[in-house]
């Protein structure tokens, strides 16, 4: 290279080369024989040759690269040609490579149709069509029902609020059923019987008559649970019979129903009487309205229970009684398609013909159960398994689509005569009417797989002529009570109202969340205690974070510098969020999700404790982020309701309605804290000042009053004060009942501690008295009283011969000598104490 302005070489040959690669090769070859570093500045020729290149030459072209770097370092940055080269795109951005990334977890659900976890793929975009088998409303809902409805509510909320699916949830109410018909008929007949005001002697006569078939039923019953229940009922009736029999025989009883003994017997024997009356007069009950009152009442009770449990209502609720025309049309099409047949006014599904069709398969869920007559008969219902009904079917495996109504049963018109829907057909017709020919999810209890859901599948696919009426079948696991099956005979039958009387809706939901939805859940004291402790653990974290966030600071003060502790906690925070997500993707494993959340709270608590010990404030924004995340997750699970951004609402849905105090009723829980906390903070600061002055002036009366305010007065208002050494007092709003229970437990612990202390002091005093008594014994007298062991002693009172007159052995003498010398020492100590006046 020459000095500026000089021509270092003739670059004209480069202009004739259009390809960049060949141009660089030619330049490198040209420069290999030229001196291109002479001089101190780039020449015009250098600049123009430089402008022809769009970037540094490859390293293999050593001369061209060296020249390029030299010119690039020396050429003026404002050179017009260089700017022009840049604007013409000859200098381009380097290639960009996207990050490798990681695999995104996909939601998998356990599908009973395959008995394995399958990737969940809705049929139509983001929309999820979901049908759930609802209750048969003839009695109070129990914890077995809660097992399904709370679990499905949790799954539904997570699919909708966490995975952001557009869930359309349909559920049925079974209000036409063999159990309902029989129970409604019996209730009606018993009411009619009572309205006639039978005499005491008539009641006695009727109960004795009713007891005869009952005894026969008891003798035939083989199921141990049912037999035990019937035996208990028989014993209660037998006990109530005695007094009335004696009174009637002695003519001491009157003839009014108001007689005490008659009323007692009537109450104890109402199940026997109902059965007996139904057998005699059931066929005379024909008015359809009689069969609607019972399910209407229990449906109302069911909805109240679900509201109390914070279970979301269905988007669509269907009742069998409102869909009879659709059911008739559904059955007719199945018959028209060749899969059903009429017999004696009833219509049955032809399982053999359906299964023989190449496009269909019967019993997809539990194929091994085909032929299980016990299960099939239970599916048909108590009123539908008579010998004449069974003989109407072509095969024992066939099931009723439409049942010809017998006397004493409700009925509707149909092409086959007066009748009523079969059990299985109701779900198919109602779900088909609302959701169409195929749904994404069908849910129900584990016991419903066969025959109910298998029959639903068969008749629906026979109607729609497809093989995919349901894509994913979800079945919740069983519920046991302290390891046993729930049964009235075992006296462990727990209604939802019973459970809510002992525990809050939130505690029950947490217990369900702490178990996998598809496996057996054991409802027991241990299960509920685990849920209560989890709730308490999480709630304390929320209260601590809210206390920290209330500490005054300016805007810039909220952005504290992150040290190693904050970086580590934040890293753990994101790891736990990932673990929670993976758990929910894995068949919505809420049990593992809650454990990850518990671990996150534990790490946060450790961080806060370390900051307190160091007298340093914790990072507000980081703890707030963690608390917001945990709150949102619990809201997603349905364990928190309301608008509070952090924590459980005070006196909210987690608490039973009757324990909310006056202050909590006056304020919405989301506003309560912001309203009362400024006043409580002033009170707390004032109390702290009083305590400081009292300690300095040693005014114990004022300190005692401050303690009474903390321990007795404020808990009654739902306020907890926590005094912390060297730090401001923490003020927390907690449910009144929780605080009162804490106070009771604290008092109990203090009483036990006091009792143990008194017991220890008593034992210590007894030991000291025993020691003193022993010290008073003179050494020369300690062995003389043991005449059963020794017969001779020396002048000092030391034994020389045993009780038989034999001289003591050397070994025993040595042992006794040590005891003698020890007593000498004790006695001398006693004499010394006496001389000192102790």
């Amino acid at each position: 290279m020459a000095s500026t302005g000089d021509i270092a070489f003739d670059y004209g040959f480069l202009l004739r080369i259009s390809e960049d690669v060949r141009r660089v090769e030619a330049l490198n070859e040209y420069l290999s024989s030229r001196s291109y570093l002479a001089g101190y500045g780039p020449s015009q020729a250098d600049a123009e040759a430089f402008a022809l290149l769009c970037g540094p030459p490859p390293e293999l072209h050593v001369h061209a690269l060296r020249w390029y770097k030299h010119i690039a370092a020396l050429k003026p940055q404002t050179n017009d040609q260089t700017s022009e080269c840049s604007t013409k795109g000859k200098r381009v951005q380097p290639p960009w490579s996207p990050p490798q990334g990681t695999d995104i977890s996909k939601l998998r659900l356990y599908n009973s149709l395959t008995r394995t976890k399958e990737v969940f793929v809705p049929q139509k975009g983001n929309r999820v069509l979901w049908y759930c088998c609802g209750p048969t409303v003839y009695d109070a809902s129990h914890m077995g029902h809660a097992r399904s409805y709370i679990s499905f509510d949790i799954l539904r909320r997570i699919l909708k609020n966490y995975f952001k699916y557009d869930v359309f949830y349909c559920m049925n109410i079974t209000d036409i059923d063999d159990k309902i018909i029989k129970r409604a008929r019996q209730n009606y007949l018993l009411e009619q019987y009572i309205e006639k005001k039978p005499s005491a002697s008539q009641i006695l006569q009727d109960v004795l008559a009713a007891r005869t078939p009952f005894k026969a039923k008891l003798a035939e019953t083989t199921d141990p649970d049912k037999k035990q229940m019937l035996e208990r009922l028989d014993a209660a009736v037998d006990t109530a019979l005695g007094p009335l029999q004696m009174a009637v025989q002695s003519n001491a009883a009157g003839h009014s129903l108001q007689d005490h003994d008659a009323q007692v017997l009537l109450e104890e024997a109402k199940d026997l009487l109902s059965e007996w009356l139904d057998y005699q007069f059931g066929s005379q009950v024909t008015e359809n309205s009689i069969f609607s009152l019972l399910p209407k009442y229990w449906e109302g009770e069911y909805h109240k229970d679900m509201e109390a449990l914070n279970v979301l209502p269905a988007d669509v609720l269907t009742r069998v009684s409102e869909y009879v025309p659709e059911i008739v049309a559904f059955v007719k099409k199945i018959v028209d398609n060749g899969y059903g047949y009429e017999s004696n006014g009833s219509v049955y599904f032809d399982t053999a013909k359906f299964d023989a069709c190449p496009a269909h398969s019967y019993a997809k869920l539990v194929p091994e159960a085909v032929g299980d007559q016990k299960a099939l008969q239970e599916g048909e219902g108590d009123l539908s398994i008579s010998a004449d009904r069974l003989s109407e079917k072509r095969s024992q495996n066939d099931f009723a689509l439409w049942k010809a109504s017998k006397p004493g049963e409700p009925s509707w018109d149909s092409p086959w005569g007066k009748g009523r829907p079969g059990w299985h057909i109701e779900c198919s017709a109602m779900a088909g009417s609302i959701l169409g020919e195929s749904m994404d999810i069908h849910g129900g209890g584990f016991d419903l797989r066969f025959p109910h859901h298998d029959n639903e599948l068969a008749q629906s696919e026979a109607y729609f002529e497809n093989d995919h009426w349901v894509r994913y079948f979800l079945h919740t696991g069983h519920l046991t009570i302290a390891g046993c099956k729930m049964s009235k005979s075992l006296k462990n039958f727990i209604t939802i109202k019973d459970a809510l009387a002992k525990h809050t809706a939130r505690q029950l939901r947490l217990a369900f969340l702490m178990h996998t939805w598809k496996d057996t859940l054991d409802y027991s004291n241990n299960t509920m205690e685990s849920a209560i402790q989890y709730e308490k653990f999480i709630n304390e974290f929320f209260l601590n974070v809210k206390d920290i966030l209330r500490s005054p600071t300016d805007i810039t003060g909220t952005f504290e510098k992150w040290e190693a502790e904050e970086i580590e906690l934040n890293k753990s925070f994101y790891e736990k969020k990932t673990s929670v997500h993976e758990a929910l993707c894995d068949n919505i494993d809420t049990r593992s999700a809650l454990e990850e959340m518990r671990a996150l709270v534990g790490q946060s608590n450790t961080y806060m404790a370390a900051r307190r010990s160091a007298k340093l404030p914790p990072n507000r924004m980081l703890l707030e982020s963690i608390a917001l995340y945990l709150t949102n997750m619990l809201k997603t699970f349905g364990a928190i309701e309301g608008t509070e951004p952090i924590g459980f609402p005070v006196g909210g849905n987690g608490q039973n309605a009757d324990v909310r105090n006056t202050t909590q009723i006056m304020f919405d829980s989301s506003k309560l804290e912001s309203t009362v906390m400024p006043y409580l903070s002033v009170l707390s600061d004032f109390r702290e000042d009083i305590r400081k002055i009292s300690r300095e002036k040693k005014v114990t009366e004022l300190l005692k009053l401050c303690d009474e305010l903390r321990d007795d007065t404020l808990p009654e208002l739902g306020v907890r004060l926590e005094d912390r050494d060297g730090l401001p007092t923490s003020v927390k709003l907690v449910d009144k009942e929780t605080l009162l229970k804490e106070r009771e437990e604290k008092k109990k612990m203090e009483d036990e501690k006091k009792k143990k202390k008194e017991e220890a002091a008593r034992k210590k005093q007894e030991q000291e008295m025993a020691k003193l008594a022993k010290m008073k014994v003179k050494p020369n007298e300690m062995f003389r009283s043991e005449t059963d062991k020794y017969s001779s002693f020396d002048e000092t009172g030391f034994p020389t011969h045993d009780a038989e007159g034999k001289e003591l052995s050397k070994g025993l003498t040595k042992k006794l000598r040590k005891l003698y010398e020890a007593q000498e020492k004790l006695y001398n100590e006693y004499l010394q104490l006496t001389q000192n006046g102790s």
Side-chain angles (χ1 to χ4, degrees), residues 562 564-579 600 603 622 626:
W562 281 29
E565 294 81 3
E566 284 77 25
I567 293 172
E568 183 63 29
L569 179 58
N570 187 62
K571 178 183 176 184
S572 179
F573 176 28
Y574 277 86
E575 288 174 350
K576 294 304 176 189
K577 283 202 289 188
T578 299
S579 297
L600 176 58
Q603 292 164 348
L622 177 54
I626 293 172

Side-chain angles (χ1 to χ4, degrees), residues 677-688 709 714 721:
M677 195 54 70
Y679 301 97
L680 292 175
S681 296
V682 170
L683 175 63
S684 176
D685 292 342
F686 176 76
R687 173 179 171 274
E688 188 59 38
L709 176 69
L714 290 178
L721 295 186

